[in-house]
Amino acid sequence: MEAVKLGQRQVFLMKKESLTKRVQMFYEQTKNIEQLIQYMVAILVRNALSQGIFTEQLKELAREIYLTSEPNDTLRQYSPFFKHCFSGGEWKELIKKMFKNESTYFDSTKEARFYNNYLGKDGTLNNRREGLVYHVESVFEDAAGKKHKLTIPDTDPTKNEEQTENILRTLSILTVFENAGVRKFVEYVSYKTPGMTIASAHNSRKEKKAAAAEATDDTEKSTSQQENPQKQSVHSTSVKNETGQILSADQKSDDDKALIEESSPTERLGNRAPSAKKAKTSSENESASPVNPPTSGKSKDEAKAQPAAKKKTNKPLDLPKKPDTSHMRYGKSEAQIEKERDNRRLQREAAKQNGKKKKKKKRK
């Protein structure tokens, strides 16, 4: 006769009557109480999520195993899950038989007693809808770190997130479920109750990621707070103008504006930069005048800072003119000299626009 198979598929998917018969047949054929007790704990997990799977017949089988078998580590480890199968006096006698005293029992069964508290609790959610069938889809990692899914059908949607999570975590203390020699249900990952409505859901990995993200945000905030004073100190750094006077950033801006307004009409015309020779000559002529301040020391950044409106204008500003004494040297009237200057200036501008360069006289 072929041995009866009992595993994950039978424990979580078979109907109540068929599962009860399969468990009894497995015990009769194998007498492997270590495996059978773990399978019965898994059935209790399914019973806690769906109600009605762990029948009176299985309770009687659990009583028989604990009352007639020699105590071993497996019976001791999972004993809290079967406390409800015994009366108060029977349970005390069983504790003395397996643990000698209650103190040893409590020290040896902390994990099992923690999970067993969730198996017997009723659901707290008021979300059941008539005509809907619910099921739980959970994800676990095996001993090799590979994820696998466990689906439990016909579940109770009133179990809240904490209850469902810890009921499923109970499977992580079982070693009987394997696949090709690799232990399954080593670590709980997540669960959900899909369908027309989601009764509840939980994901332990998202909690870890959220905690890590929160820690990163706190670190970035503290770092930015440390950097802000340095940025403020950089912005408040003073600069020197052409005269060597120390100016703040705001004062430098005002000084740039003053330099722009005081620049010569030739420099502002079309925003065209004169050649090196003409720039040098212009700066020397203006520096000789007590009326116009020197502007030859302006940097490129200051030239770029000029407003666009002033770059396009060709009208000179109304500035006081230098006294003209050229008519005394050349014997011409002031009007004649001024007219000749305008003509030469217009010729130079036309030559620049046409791309012609001024011919340099060869030195003899």
Side-chain angles (χ1 to χ4, degrees), residues 70-86:
E70 287 294 325
N72 56 45
D73 292 340
T74 302
L75 293 178
R76 295 187 184 95
Q77 180 181 357
Y78 301 108
S79 60
F81 293 106
F82 303 97
K83 181 179 179 180
H84 65 282
C85 299
F86 303 91

Side-chain angles (χ1 to χ4, degrees), residues 68-340:
T68 61
S69 302
E70 287 294 325
N72 56 45
D73 292 340
T74 302
L75 293 178
R76 295 187 184 95
Q77 180 181 357
Y78 301 108
S79 60
F81 293 106
F82 303 97
K83 181 179 179 180
H84 65 282
C85 299
F86 303 91
S87 63
E90 290 176 332
W91 182 247
K92 288 182 179 180
E93 291 296 326
L94 189 61
I95 293 299
K96 291 180 181 179
K97 175 184 174 181
M98 292 191 299
F99 297 95
K100 305 302 181 183
N101 55 63
E102 288 188 351
S103 177
T104 307
Y105 163 72
F106 287 119
D107 291 339
S108 304
T109 60
K110 290 181 180 179
E111 190 174 27
R113 287 186 291 106
F114 171 79
Y115 289 122
N116 186 54
N117 289 333
Y118 288 96
L119 299 186
K121 289 184 178 180
D122 295 330
T124 59
L125 302 178
N126 185 20
N127 58 354
R128 187 190 296 275
R129 295 176 59 181
E130 295 297 332
L132 294 182
V133 179
Y134 298 88
H135 63 281
V136 171
E137 290 183 1
S138 57
V139 178
F140 288 83
E141 279 189 359
D142 60 17
K146 184 178 179 180
K147 293 181 180 179
H148 61 92
K149 184 185 293 185
L150 170 66
T151 300
I152 303 178
D154 301 329
T155 55
D156 180 9
T158 64
K159 300 290 184 179
N160 62 31
E161 179 183 318
E162 180 184 3
Q163 288 176 301
T164 307
E165 174 195 351
N166 286 293
I167 290 172
L168 291 170
R169 285 185 186 275
T170 306
L171 298 177
S172 64
I173 65 175
L174 303 179
T175 60
V176 69
F177 296 101
E178 293 183 351
N179 182 22
V182 179
R183 178 189 164 193
K184 305 177 74 174
F185 306 115
V186 172
E187 184 178 355
Y188 161 81
V189 177
S190 64
Y191 87 89
K192 62 181 178 179
T193 57
M196 292 183 65
T197 59
I198 295 179
S200 60
H202 179 263
N203 192 321
S204 62
R205 299 298 170 84
K206 288 184 178 180
E207 288 182 349
K208 294 178 182 179
K209 290 181 180 179
E214 185 177 355
T216 304
D217 293 340
D218 295 339
T219 304
E220 291 177 353
K221 288 180 181 179
S222 61
T223 304
S224 61
Q225 290 177 357
Q226 295 175 358
E227 292 177 353
N228 284 340
Q230 297 178 358
K231 291 182 179 179
Q232 293 177 359
S233 63
V234 170
H235 289 304
S236 61
T237 303
S238 61
V239 295
K240 292 184 178 182
N241 64 355
E242 290 84 348
T243 60
Q245 181 181 0
I246 297 178
L247 302 175
S248 65
D250 295 335
Q251 291 173 338
K252 182 182 178 183
S253 178
D254 295 339
D255 187 61
D256 290 344
K257 293 179 180 178
L259 289 173
I260 292 170
E261 292 177 354
E262 294 175 0
S263 62
S264 65
T266 304
E267 291 178 346
R268 291 194 305 272
L269 185 59
N271 198 26
R272 300 185 184 91
S275 62
K277 184 176 181 180
K278 292 181 180 180
K280 183 177 180 181
T281 305
S282 176
S283 62
E284 290 176 354
N285 293 336
E286 290 182 359
S287 62
S289 173
V291 178
N292 294 329
T295 58
S296 59
K298 290 173 63 175
S299 64
K300 294 181 179 180
D301 294 337
E302 293 171 349
K304 292 180 180 179
Q306 296 182 11
K310 292 187 177 182
K311 289 180 180 179
K312 294 180 180 180
T313 181
N314 293 329
K315 296 181 179 180
L317 297 178
D318 296 333
L319 297 176
K321 296 184 178 180
K322 296 183 291 184
D324 192 358
T325 58
S326 57
H327 62 282
M328 299 179 181
R329 296 194 300 270
Y330 300 105
K332 299 180 180 180
S333 64
E334 294 182 11
Q336 291 175 339
I337 294 174
E338 186 66 26
K339 185 177 180 179
E340 291 178 357

Side-chain angles (χ1 to χ4, degrees), residues 44-59:
L44 286 173
V45 170
R46 180 180 176 185
N47 181 75
L49 292 174
S50 57
Q51 301 299 324
I53 301 300
F54 197 82
T55 64
E56 291 297 326
Q57 291 176 330
L58 293 181
K59 290 182 181 179

